[in-house]
Each structure stands twice: as structure tokens, then as C-alpha cells.
Amino acid sequence: MPVEPTQTKQPDSPESAIRRFQANLDDEIDGIAVYRLLANAEQDPERRRIFDELRAVEERHAETWREKLIAAGATPRERGPSLKVRMIGFGARVFGVRSMLPMVRALEAGAFGAYMAQDATAQAMAPDEREHRKILTRLERGRPSPDEPSEAILSRERWHRSGGGGTLRASIFGASDGLVSNTALVMGFAGAQASGDFVLLAGIAGLLAGAFSMAAGEYVSMRAQRELFERQIELERSELELAPEEEQRELSLIFQAKGLRPDEADMTAARLMEDPEIALDTLVREELGLDPSELGSPWGAATGSFLAFAVGAMIPVIPFLFADASTPFVVASALMSALALFLVGAGVSLFTGRGTLYSGLRQVGLGAAAAVVTFVIGRIIGVSTDI
């Protein structure tokens, strides 16, 4: 299962042909190993059988490349699975097989195009690799069979609904993180009976450190997600160019699942295929569950996370901007933080469906528990350093 096409259909020199055959064999060895490891970790007999069948296909491919190497006068170089494949196998045992399927799909990504860019032998294997990626997608969604497209579409529609309000959700949870972490930090320094300047410094430092950490994490996460989505879209574009008949058939199945008669679905799919960009947009939305116009901005997500965390983290610090760390101002900080935590909890109830009062008080309780623990620890440490 080669990852990227590195060869063209132009004739190879004997040396480059041998290198290509060996590279293909190495990739197929990884494919055999990864499906064997997934099958060993899988508990469901039906899914295990599917992994075994995928492994058998990779074994046939590998044997073909061994024969090609021997015919070219070279000895096939056998090796064990790569480190990445071993890590996937370990992750499947620890975290479950389904959590590793996106990584396996990434290994399979581009295999169809890679083989289509090679000789006739490789091109004959290309449809197998394309089908492997689609099978993995169905397995990831919990559907081993392609015979019920309506379930897949309903699953994707649920995914779309659960993704609504993403910006608001991120803002609320970012503010919650800032509130809880900085309230606990400020209360820890207050418990240690530090001066107001130290409490203020600790609060500002916690705000900046946490906000930058949140922003960096959100940027990396969103960038990786965007690159993954863009890669999936490009794969669909490539398959649309290389196998338009198969993609048209998939479009027809999608429309049949939405209630059209087979002849109407075929006609609609054929009309869409007249414009490749519209066909691609439809496939991406319906087959992958993605909206190409809403992939998200890494910089926007990072900025939003930074600001949301900073706003939340600033609230417990505000009293110490005007006075020292005497008891009234510590209490004022705690009360302001509790009120803000209640409002954040009420905001969370918009997504959980729980009662506003319950969610608000739960959030206050969690924040208060963190603040009390750090206050007590700060008091203990402060006392011990005074002795």
C-alpha cells in the first residue's frame, strides 16, 4: 500500500524498476502487518474476518512484487513491519481498534493514485487499494457493509448536528479552563499569604501561559484537522478523475438512500458528473461528511481560544489590580470567580440539555474544589517556609 506516487508510467531503467518493486513490497509488508495486528486486537468476529481478508489481499500483492523482483534478477529484501505500524498495533491493543483506523487510512491514502501511476501490474492492484480505504471508512463508522447507504448518511447527518455551535462551544470551554485554572492558582498564592504583588504576578503569568498554551494547542489541532480534510478532498478529486464510473455509481447510491428511484438517482448522478467540481463537492459532503467551505481557520481557532481563556483567567485577578492580598480582596476574587463559573456552567447547559441551575452549580462546585485544594496546599507550603 504505497503512500505517495513517486513513479510515472514511463519505462523504468532496470535499476529504478527494482527499487520501485522493492518499495512496493515494503509497503505491502506493512499492510500485511497492520491488518494482522488489527485482527489480533479486534474482539468482534465479523470485523476480525474483514481485517483477515484485507491482509490476504495485501499478501497477494506482496507475492506479486516478490515475483517481479526475482524476474528482474534481484533477491527480495524481507523486513519486519515499520515502527509506525508497530505503534498502530500497540495503540489498537491499548485504546481499541477503531481509534487507530484513521491512522491506517492515512497509510492507505494515495495508494490508488500511486499504483495507477505505475505499470500495468500495479494498475491492476489499484482498485483493491481504493476499496481498502473505503472499507476502513465504513468500519470506522461502525458499518462493515456498504449495502445500507442510508445508515451512513444518517450517521453523517448526526455528526453535522453535533458539530453545530463549534465557535460558541470553544469559547465557553476556553473561558471555563481559564477561570478554573487561574482561580486555583491565585487561591494557592493567597493561601500561602503572599503579598498582593506576588498574587497579581502569579495571576498574570498563569493567564499568559495558559492562553498561549491553549492557542498553540488549538492551532496545531485545527491545522492537523484541516490538512487531513484537505488530503481527503484531494483523494476524492483524484479518484473522480481516475475512476469516474465508480464515483458516479456512488453518487447514485447516495441519492437512492435519500429516497430517489434508481433511474432518477442514475440520472441525477450523471448530471452532476457533467461538472467535476459540483460532483466533487457533492461527494465530499455526502461521502466524507465534510463541508469544503467550513474547514475552519487554525489562526481563528487559536485567537478565539487565546481570548476566551484570557477573559476567564482575568476575572480572579481583577481585585488584586487595585489592592493587596488581604482577606476582603481574596473573598472578592473568590466571589467574582464563583459568579463567572456559574455563568459558564449555565452556558454549558446550552449543549448538554441539563438544567441551567444544575449546570451552573456543578461548575461552581468543580471550580471551588480546585481552589480549596490549592489554597490549603498554599497555606501549608507558606507556613512551612516561615518556620
Side-chain angles (χ1 to χ4, degrees), residues 43 109 144 168 193 268 329 371:
Q43 301 298 315
L168 178 60
Q193 297 182 323
T268 303
F329 293 98

Side-chain angles (χ1 to χ4, degrees), residues 122-316:
Q123 291 173 28
M125 299 179 185
D128 291 337
E129 301 294 350
R130 180 175 183 271
E131 184 61 22
H132 286 188
R133 187 169 70 87
K134 294 186 179 296
I135 290 173
L136 290 170
T137 299
R138 292 196 293 268
L139 288 172
E140 187 179 352
R141 294 169 179 163
R143 292 180 60 256
S145 171
D147 297 330
E148 303 172 47
S150 57
E151 279 83 348
I153 291 170
L154 290 174
S155 171
R156 286 192 289 274
E157 288 175 350
R158 285 193 294 271
W159 181 87
H160 277 303
R161 286 195 295 270
S162 67
T167 302
L168 178 60
R169 181 188 294 108
S171 299
I172 289 176
F173 288 119
S176 174
D177 287 344
L179 260 172
V180 173
S181 63
N182 229 31
T183 297
L185 179 64
V186 166
M187 289 301 124
F189 273 81
Q193 297 182 323
S195 69
D197 290 341
F198 279 112
V199 176
L200 179 60
L201 176 62
I204 296 299
L207 182 157
L208 292 174
F212 278 116
S213 176
M214 285 282 293
E218 194 67 25
Y219 177 86
V220 172
S221 174
M222 181 64 74
R223 171 60 67 185
Q225 175 179 277
R226 185 182 178 91
E227 289 174 352
L228 171 62
F229 290 165
E230 289 173 344
R231 173 64 171 159
Q232 291 178 325
I233 291 172
E234 286 307 309
L235 285 172
E236 283 297 328
R237 186 189 302 276
S238 174
E239 291 178 0
L240 190 61
E241 294 173 352
L242 294 169
E245 298 83 4
E246 285 295 320
E247 296 300 314
Q248 182 171 330
R249 178 176 177 275
E250 289 184 12
L251 281 172
S252 177
L253 289 174
I254 289 170
F255 293 128
Q256 289 178 48
K258 288 181 175 293
L260 294 183
R261 296 195 310 270
D263 58 331
E264 294 175 332
D266 290 341
M267 183 181 303
T268 303
R271 290 288 301 275
L272 286 175
M273 291 295 292
E274 293 175 2
D275 188 329
E277 288 302 317
I278 294 178
L280 176 63
D281 184 82
T282 305
L283 284 166
V284 167
R285 291 173 185 272
E286 299 293 349
E287 187 176 352
L288 301 180
L290 302 178
D291 185 344
S293 66
E294 297 182 1
L295 297 184
S297 166
W299 282 111
T303 302
S305 295
F306 182 94
L307 294 176
F309 187 97
V311 168
M314 191 63 198
I315 291 173

Side-chain angles (χ1 to χ4, degrees), residues 8 14 39 46 57 82 90 93 100 119 125 128 149 165 167 190 212 224 241 254 256 291 297 310 322 336 380:
T8 67
E46 175 62 18
V57 173
S82 65
F90 176 79
R93 293 195 303 272
M100 294 295 109
D119 59 18
M125 299 179 185
D128 291 337
T167 302
F212 278 116
E241 294 173 352
I254 289 170
Q256 289 178 48
D291 185 344
S297 166
F322 307 103
M336 290 177 62
I380 295 171

